[in-house]
Amino acid sequence: MPAPSANAGRLKQSVSRWCYQDIPLDRLCAAAAGMGLQGIDLLQPAEYDVPRRYGLRCTMGYAADVMTIANGLNRRENHAAIEQAFRVGIPQAAKAGVPNVIAFSGNRRGLSDEEGAANAVIGLNRVKRIAEDHGVTICIELLNSKVDHADYMADHTAWGVRVASEVNSPRVKLLYDIYHMQIMEGDLIRTIRDNIRWLGHFHTGGVPGRHNLDATQEVNWQAVARSIADLKFDGYFAHEFVPVGDPLTALAQAVRTCTV
């Protein structure tokens, strides 16, 4: 049975490229368009134009490869290189119609969360005008430090909200990864409701294991999706799970589950 079109729902759904590396990007785009998805997440600049052939867009781009999960905004010595990269990457994203670019806090490596947050605010204040001038949103990803990314600093919503609120730009927000925040915090719906003004993008992924959004998982995906839609969230809700079984069947199931 074909999946219902995500266009029938209130959320703009997309899918992360890296989870489907064995499928050529053109084929993934064609399948995504057939499911009613609106874009492909986490593409490199050389790939930005591919989704456009299928009526899609890149919904989250990589615009500063010098910034990594381990080495990011929480250290001042990284700021000059990040700024230089964004001065090239953000205009490139804007030209291709990419609405968001990803950013990372970096690992603690002995740095206090207080100092790391202060440093991240300084770094983002250096680049926020670039994002504002080009209509592109920098999204700092929240990741878990318990299972997948040991020592990552932006591992709680409160840390990210502090940084985003101090920068106070409409073009600096958080990438709220539901998989990661379920592991670290739980209390998903309340946290999303309380902080929606700072959330620019969502990622999915089943807990435990980061697999299909099905009955083996502990998150009530339809309830979470509905709560986000009820807030009139107008960004993208991107599937970022490692599929078990036929990958496109798993993606179609996730689309069906989150079409609310």
Side-chain angles (χ1 to χ4, degrees):
M1 181 179 71
S5 172
N7 288 330
R10 294 177 290 157
L11 292 177
K12 296 187 291 187
Q13 297 186 54
S14 62
V15 59
S16 292
R17 168 63 179 141
W18 72 265
C19 304
Y20 298 84
Q21 287 294 331
D22 291 340
I23 299 176
L25 181 55
D26 280 278
R27 184 183 169 211
L28 178 63
C29 289
M35 296 176 197
L37 298 181
Q38 298 198 25
I40 309 294
D41 238 43
L42 299 176
L43 296 181
Q44 294 290 344
E47 301 170 311
Y48 285 168
D49 284 337
V50 177
R52 297 164 78 173
R53 302 172 194 161
Y54 301 87
L56 308 176
R57 72 195 310 189
C58 171
T59 46
M60 175 73 68
Y62 290 110
D65 281 348
V66 296
M67 178 168 40
T68 66
I69 289 173
N71 294 290
L73 290 158
N74 64 350
R75 293 187 180 275
R76 295 193 191 193
E77 58 265 31
N78 297 335
H79 291 173
I82 291 171
E83 179 181 356
Q84 184 177 10
F86 272 156
R87 287 195 178 280
V88 175
I90 287 177
Q92 192 173 22
K95 183 177 180 182
V98 178
N100 305 295
V101 296
I102 199 165
F104 302 105
S105 68
N107 287 354
R108 291 182 175 90
R109 294 200 295 272
L111 192 68
S112 72
D113 285 7
E114 179 78 16
E115 185 176 358
N119 288 344
V121 170
I122 291 168
L124 288 162
N125 279 334
R126 288 179 63 157
V127 299
K128 67 181 181 182
R129 183 63 183 271
I130 307 168
E132 291 164 358
D133 287 348
H134 290 88
V136 172
T137 302
I138 299 168
C139 292
I140 310 156
E141 185 161 23
L142 303 174
L143 302 172
N144 84 75
S145 59
K146 180 180 177 182
V147 176
D148 299 288
H149 302 290
D151 202 43
Y152 186 72
M153 184 168 281
D155 61 354
H156 282 82
T157 307
W159 189 95
V161 167
R162 175 195 165 172
V163 169
S165 62
E166 289 190 20
V167 175
N168 196 28
S169 167
R171 292 300 175 183
V172 174
K173 296 198 175 185
L174 303 178
L175 195 175
Y176 187 92
D177 191 305
I178 299 165
Y179 161 77
H180 290 293
M181 290 302 95
Q182 171 65 9
I183 290 172
M184 296 302 297
E185 303 175 340
D187 199 19
L188 297 169
I189 292 175
R190 188 205 319 255
T191 302
I192 291 167
R193 286 174 177 164
D194 288 350
N195 297 289
I196 191 63
R197 66 173 293 194
W198 306 114
L199 308 183
H201 199 80
F202 287 92
H203 278 170
T204 73
V207 182
R210 199 178 197 153
H211 295 309
N212 304 15
L213 309 191
D214 60 22
T216 69
Q217 304 298 313
E218 67 189 38
V219 174
N220 183 338
W221 286 101
Q222 193 163 76
V224 172
R226 185 178 295 110
S227 72
I228 295 169
D230 287 347
L231 294 166
K232 302 190 186 313
F233 176 71
D234 64 357
Y236 291 91
F237 184 90
H239 296 294
E240 193 192 31
F241 62 89
V242 179
V244 174
D246 178 74
L248 294 180
T249 299
L251 179 57
Q253 180 185 36
V255 172
R256 179 167 55 250
T257 298
C258 296
T259 298
V260 295

Coordinates of all heavy atoms in Angstrom, one line a residue, residues 74 76 108 110-122 153 159 162-163 166:
N74 N 32.1 26.3 20.8 CA 32.4 26.6 22.2 C 33.8 26.9 22.5 O 34.2 27.2 23.7 CB 32.0 25.3 23.1 CG 32.8 24.1 22.8 OD1 33.5 24.0 21.8 ND2 32.6 23.1 23.6
R76 N 36.9 29.7 21.4 CA 37.1 30.9 20.7 C 38.1 30.7 19.5 O 38.0 31.4 18.5 CB 37.6 32.0 21.6 CG 36.5 32.4 22.6 CD 36.9 33.7 23.3 NE 36.1 34.0 24.5 CZ 36.1 35.2 25.1 NH1 36.9 36.1 24.7 NH2 35.3 35.3 26.1
R108 N 33.3 19.1 25.2 CA 33.7 19.9 26.4 C 35.2 19.9 26.5 O 35.8 20.9 26.7 CB 33.0 19.3 27.6 CG 31.5 19.5 27.7 CD 31.0 19.0 29.0 NE 29.5 19.3 29.1 CZ 28.5 18.5 28.7 NH1 28.8 17.4 28.0 NH2 27.3 18.9 28.8
G110 N 37.0 19.3 29.1 CA 37.3 20.0 30.3 C 36.8 21.4 30.4 O 36.9 22.0 31.5
L111 N 36.2 21.9 29.4 CA 35.6 23.2 29.4 C 34.3 23.2 30.1 O 33.5 22.3 29.9 CB 35.4 23.7 28.0 CG 35.1 25.2 27.7 CD1 36.3 26.1 28.1 CD2 34.7 25.4 26.3
S112 N 34.0 24.2 31.0 CA 32.7 24.2 31.7 C 31.6 24.6 30.7 O 31.8 25.3 29.7 CB 32.8 25.2 32.8 OG 32.8 26.5 32.3
D113 N 30.4 24.1 31.0 CA 29.3 24.5 30.2 C 29.1 26.0 30.2 O 28.6 26.6 29.2 CB 28.0 23.8 30.7 CG 28.0 22.3 30.3 OD1 29.0 21.8 29.8 OD2 27.0 21.6 30.6
E114 N 29.3 26.6 31.3 CA 29.2 28.1 31.4 C 30.1 28.8 30.4 O 29.7 29.7 29.6 CB 29.5 28.5 32.8 CG 29.4 30.0 33.1 CD 28.0 30.5 33.2 OE1 27.0 29.7 33.5 OE2 27.8 31.7 33.1
E115 N 31.4 28.5 30.4 CA 32.3 29.1 29.6 C 32.0 28.7 28.1 O 32.2 29.6 27.2 CB 33.8 28.7 29.9 CG 34.8 29.5 29.1 CD 36.2 29.2 29.5 OE1 36.4 28.4 30.5 OE2 37.2 29.7 28.9
G116 N 31.7 27.5 27.9 CA 31.4 27.1 26.5 C 30.2 27.8 25.9 O 30.2 28.2 24.7
A117 N 29.2 28.0 26.7 CA 28.0 28.8 26.3 C 28.4 30.2 26.0 O 28.0 30.8 24.9 CB 26.9 28.7 27.3
A118 N 29.2 30.8 26.8 CA 29.6 32.2 26.6 C 30.4 32.3 25.3 O 30.2 33.3 24.5 CB 30.4 32.7 27.8
N119 N 31.3 31.4 25.1 CA 32.1 31.4 23.9 C 31.2 31.2 22.6 O 31.4 31.8 21.6 CB 33.1 30.3 23.9 CG 34.2 30.6 24.9 OD1 34.4 31.7 25.4 ND2 35.0 29.5 25.3
A120 N 30.2 30.3 22.7 CA 29.3 30.1 21.6 C 28.6 31.3 21.3 O 28.4 31.6 20.1 CB 28.4 28.9 21.9
V121 N 28.1 32.1 22.3 CA 27.4 33.3 22.0 C 28.3 34.3 21.3 O 27.9 34.9 20.3 CB 26.9 33.9 23.4 CG1 26.4 35.3 23.1 CG2 25.8 33.1 23.9
I122 N 29.6 34.4 21.7 CA 30.5 35.3 21.0 C 30.7 34.8 19.6 O 30.7 35.7 18.7 CB 31.9 35.2 21.8 CG1 31.8 35.9 23.1 CG2 33.0 35.9 21.0 CD1 32.9 35.7 24.1
M153 N 28.9 19.1 24.1 CA 28.4 20.1 25.1 C 26.9 20.4 24.9 O 26.2 20.5 26.0 CB 29.3 21.4 25.0 CG 28.9 22.4 26.0 SD 30.0 23.8 26.1 CE 31.4 23.1 27.0
W159 N 20.9 24.3 27.6 CA 22.1 24.9 27.2 C 21.9 25.6 25.8 O 22.3 26.8 25.6 CB 23.2 23.8 27.0 CG 24.6 24.4 26.8 CD1 25.6 24.7 27.7 CD2 25.2 24.7 25.5 NE1 26.7 25.2 27.1 CE2 26.5 25.2 25.7 CE3 24.7 24.7 24.2 CZ2 27.4 25.6 24.7 CZ3 25.6 25.1 23.2 CH2 26.9 25.6 23.4
R162 N 19.8 28.8 26.2 CA 20.6 29.9 26.7 C 21.4 30.6 25.6 O 21.4 31.8 25.5 CB 21.5 29.4 27.8 CG 22.4 30.5 28.3 CD 23.6 30.0 29.2 NE 24.5 31.2 29.3 CZ 25.6 31.1 30.0 NH1 25.8 30.1 30.8 NH2 26.4 32.2 30.1
V163 N 22.1 29.8 24.8 CA 22.9 30.4 23.8 C 22.0 31.1 22.8 O 22.3 32.3 22.4 CB 23.7 29.3 23.1 CG1 24.4 29.8 21.8 CG2 24.8 28.7 24.1
E166 N 20.5 34.4 24.1 CA 21.5 35.5 24.3 C 21.9 36.1 23.0 O 22.2 37.3 22.9 CB 22.7 35.0 25.1 CG 22.4 34.7 26.6 CD 23.6 34.5 27.4 OE1 24.7 34.8 27.0 OE2 23.4 33.9 28.5

